[in-house]
Amino acid sequence: MIGRLRGILVSKQPPWLLVEVGGVGYELEAPMSTIYDLPSTGKEVTLLTHHAVKEDSVALYGFLHESERALFRNLQKVSGIGAKIALSVLSGVSTNDFARLVQAGDVVALTKIPGIGKKTAERMVVELRDRVDGLAVSLPGGAGKGAPLDPAGEATVALQQLGYKPAEVTRLVQKVAADGDNAEAIIRKALRAALGA
């Protein structure tokens, strides 16, 4: 079981990261909450990991904070939620806000996260209410540095991979993108707009 990686951040193409550790490149999927706070490529990074082995696949997920990894794991204990939806939740809302929404039983707000329907949101409230108390750790607000060739295009791809429909992504990106924004800034603003924050 791989629990932690420390190495050089080679690339970040949300939701994918490539981290080189001792000459071996590890490809990980990470939520936007982690990607926002990563150093620039070429710098050292330490990631907590979740290693998932299934019948037909092996996957590695990376997180900067234990609260993110704990929520990722707890979410998958809810019936009907897999890794993709768990990443989408972490990308769409901070661990603090998620804990608050679950404790308040705010099903309507939870359904604004891609991939979460009313029944799934209701299950999350019932099954996670007792588990989210320890997750109230503030999400860092710093955005990592990057120089994508086309920030709007990179943001569009990332948002689609998080489960948003292409037409909705186009509308969100056009609405929030400003001159000088990097992809991470556009993604952050688009997610806030989608959640009505």
Side-chain angles (χ1 to χ4, degrees), residues 91-109:
S91 295
V93 66
S94 72
T95 52
N96 260 351
D97 288 342
F98 181 80
R100 183 179 51 76
L101 293 174
V102 167
Q103 287 168 340
D106 194 340
V107 171
V108 174

Side-chain angles (χ1 to χ4, degrees), residues 15-38:
W16 295 100
L17 305 175
L18 184 63
V19 178
E20 185 176 327
V21 181
V24 177
Y26 289 89
E27 193 173 65
L28 307 97
E29 270 190 273
M32 293 310 300
S33 56
T34 285
I35 290 171
Y36 291 147
D37 206 36
L38 287 173

Side-chain angles (χ1 to χ4, degrees), residues 27-191:
E27 193 173 65
L28 307 97
E29 270 190 273
M32 293 310 300
S33 56
T34 285
I35 290 171
Y36 291 147
D37 206 36
L38 287 173
S40 54
T41 54
K43 304 272 185 177
E44 186 175 89
V45 66
T46 300
L47 293 170
L48 299 166
T49 60
H50 176 79
H51 187 205
V53 179
K54 295 184 180 172
E55 261 182 41
D56 57 349
S57 66
V58 175
L60 195 58
Y61 302 92
F63 310 91
L64 278 175
H65 306 286
E66 180 55 43
S67 60
E68 294 170 327
R69 182 169 69 173
L71 179 54
F72 178 79
R73 289 173 170 171
N74 278 324
L75 280 165
Q76 291 183 77
K77 293 176 184 171
V78 176
S79 173
I81 294 184
K84 185 174 172 115
I85 292 177
L87 282 179
S88 185
V89 169
L90 280 163
S91 295
V93 66
S94 72
T95 52
N96 260 351
D97 288 342
F98 181 80
R100 183 179 51 76
L101 293 174
V102 167
Q103 287 168 340
D106 194 340
V107 171
V108 174
L110 290 169
T111 58
K112 292 181 179 178
I113 299 168
I116 304 295
K118 187 178 179 199
K119 286 185 179 176
T120 303
E122 289 169 348
R123 278 198 305 270
M124 284 166 43
V125 167
V126 171
E127 296 181 36
L128 294 178
R129 190 171 262 157
D130 297 334
R131 296 187 203 163
V132 296
D133 292 340
L135 297 177
V137 176
S138 294
L139 185 70
K145 296 172 188 169
L149 294 175
D150 178 9
E154 189 177 329
T156 298
V157 170
L159 288 163
Q160 287 178 3
Q161 289 175 336
L162 292 173
Y164 287 93
K165 293 182 172 68
E168 186 178 11
V169 168
T170 302
R171 181 182 60 77
L172 285 170
V173 170
Q174 287 175 349
K175 178 179 174 184
V176 303
D179 288 343
D181 279 352
N182 64 15
E184 290 159 21
I186 295 170
I187 293 164
R188 184 188 299 260
K189 290 197 286 188
L191 289 170

